[in-house]
């Protein structure tokens, strides 16, 4: 038997070991006001712009997503990290977060929730499947239209490590040539 140096890791912290999707903001419009919230639990579910998003009933945004079936996923670059965390500390029930944190709404093409001008990419989404929302707060969204400003991408998105620390993408490892079975994924 080989020896090893593993020690117990708390099960309630395993999410810190899995790469989360980037920290994003979710923009919604409830028919009266647009709102913004911060989200770290998200992932692609399938090619064809199916996206899994955890958004729970403790969030004011939940009601707007339920009612309208629409939202925008806005992807901030790391220079916006502090303001993006601030957006996740207060609720749209009490505060106009666009105004307080200096984000600017812009109309999209498909959904009524606004794009976030300061973010380098925005994905207009509709709800494709809400069967796991009651049990897990898991929404399956379908991207309907996506926008990017490549000039503002900078070092790109950033990730929440689950404990209030964040990592960026300063080093990019280009292994496209090794993706021999998945060549088609490596093209622009
Ligand atoms: C870094 C960070 C990540 C977060 N990730 C999530 C998440 O994945 N899902 C979620 O429902 N709330 C998440 N939150 C909490 C919401 O952003 C927070 O509850 C927010 O106040 C909701 O705003 P609202 O009430 O205006 O919708 C996160 C907050 C921070 C700061």
């Amino acid at each position: 038997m080989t020896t090893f140096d593993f020690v117990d890791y708390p099960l309630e912290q395993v999410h810190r070991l899995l790469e989360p999707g980037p920290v994003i903001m979710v923009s919604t419009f409830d028919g009266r006001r647009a709102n913004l919230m911060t989200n770290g639990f998200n992932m692609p579910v399938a090619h064809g712009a199916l996206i899994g998003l955890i958004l729970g009933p403790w969030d004011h945004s939940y009601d707007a997503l339920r009612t309208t079936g629409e939202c925008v996923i806005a992807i901030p670059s790391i220079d916006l990290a502090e303001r993006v965390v601030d957006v996740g500390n207060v609720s749209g029930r009490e505060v106009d977060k666009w105004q307080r944190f200096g984000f600017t709404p812009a109309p999209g093409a498909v959904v009524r929730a606004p794009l976030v001008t300061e973010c380098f990419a925005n994905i207009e989404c509709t709800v494709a499947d809400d069967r796991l929302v009651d049990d897990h707060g898991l929404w399956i969204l379908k991207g309907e239209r996506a926008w990017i400003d490549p000039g503002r991408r900078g070092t790109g998105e950033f990730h929440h490590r689950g404990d209030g620390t964040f990592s960026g993408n300063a080093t990019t490892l280009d292994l496209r040539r090794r993706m021999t079975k998945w060549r088609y994924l490596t093209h622009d």
Side-chain angles (χ1 to χ4, degrees), residues 46-101:
H47 296 293
L50 277 191
I51 299 160
L53 180 84
I54 299 292
L55 200 158
W58 56 87
D59 298 316
H60 183 56
S61 307
Y62 179 95
D63 301 328
L65 191 54
R66 266 277 187 232
T67 316
T68 63
E70 296 181 348
C71 66
V72 167
I73 287 181
I75 308 176
S77 49
I78 194 163
D79 52 301
L80 297 174
E82 291 177 357
R83 280 153 69 191
V84 170
V85 169
D86 292 346
V87 165
N89 283 329
V90 290
S91 176
R93 285 184 198 97
E94 294 107 36
V95 175
D96 178 344
K97 290 187 256 182
W98 299 83
Q99 205 168 38
R100 173 165 312 177
F101 302 113

Side-chain angles (χ1 to χ4, degrees), residues 7-15 17:
V7 295
D8 260 320
Y9 190 80
L11 271 181
E12 66 272 18
Q13 290 179 10
V14 291
H15 66 280
L17 301 173

